[in-house]
Amino acid sequence: MIKTNYNILALMSGTSLDGIDIIYVNFSFKNVWCFNIIKAETVKYSTEWKLTLSQLVTKKNDELENIDLNYSKHLADVISDFSDRNNIESIDFIASHGHTALHQPENGLTYQIGNNQILADKLNKKVICDFRVQDVEFGGQGAPLVPIGDELLFSKYDYCLNLGGFANVSFEFNNERIAFDICPVNIVLNHYVSIINLEYDDKGQLASTGTINKKLLSILNQLQFYKENPPKSLGLEWVDMNIFPLIDSFKLQIKDILRTFIEHIAIQISKILDKEKSNVLITGGGVYNDFLISRINHHSVSEIVIPKNEIVEFKEGLIFGLLGVLKDRNEVNCLMSVTGANQNHSSGKILMPKNQL
């Protein structure tokens, strides 16, 4: 008889480099999927890890493999510490997204570090991970993967919008789920405030004092990516190539860069949220940027819903836990309508500790 109740430890790391999101969650199935987040926290990166992860796109393959090994060991330590501190004993398996090192689906390439066999061996637990690779092999973007969770856990909302390193959205269109990356968010905003030794622009206060550079805003809004139809996704490589050199060429004050880019974000998001009387669930670290939210509100007619903090901060980790459950059940966890793959499929790799093989 197939299980209907799971205790999962799920973790992921996003492009904004806030840290490792780790959650202990119970999933149960009674006609619909329900969840209960029991414990959740974000484990901040050391200065060394933050620097290493920010430079992954510059590394050669052998360097990446070595970082992958060390990062997997680091994740094992983080999981062990989290489990010990919270007296967690009942774990069906660990669902790990890891951290995206390379994402070039157009070249058939995506690489998430932190999914090494040593993770299962050190923890002596089953690990379900590497959720993106198979989708790329099937011709998909390998992203975004969260929409299956939006469909199964948050279906009462017309749109599910996440404001993390990038803004991504999912919604029903012509009776199927579609989703895509909209534009960069914190990956750009945090980059520029780091120049003045800030981790982030608290509530968008610095951005709110800046002035929009209309020429830069116009060029940003005309970038080719925004003219492409979904499925489509973004990565750090695209930002390094298309965003940073463009912004830097204007030689603006940091506050004016932030003000201009927030307007750009709000405009791009408002183009997607075009339904009247629609409601939008917004999650991710960008929710705490009050000025950004106010600009999205300004440009959009949709009702913005900001849930309780544990959903704001840990929704993606929660859904990667669900992806693990679906993989364990050999059920579809990756939608071709979202990624552009040639079929729906159950994506992920299952690692068993060597002493249990």
Side-chain angles (χ1 to χ4, degrees), residues 206-214 216-217 252-261 263 291:
L206 181 58
S208 69
T209 67
T211 302
I212 295 173
N213 184 292
K214 293 183 180 179
L216 173 58
L217 179 61
L252 303 176
Q253 294 185 58
I254 299 298
K255 64 180 181 178
D256 297 333
I257 293 173
L258 300 177
R259 179 67 186 89
T260 303
F261 204 79
E263 199 69 12
F291 185 64

Side-chain angles (χ1 to χ4, degrees), residues 182-196:
I182 300 175
C183 63
V185 181
N186 291 334
I187 197 169
V188 171
L189 301 178
N190 292 353
H191 168 80
Y192 283 102
V193 297
S194 72
I195 294 171
I196 53 175

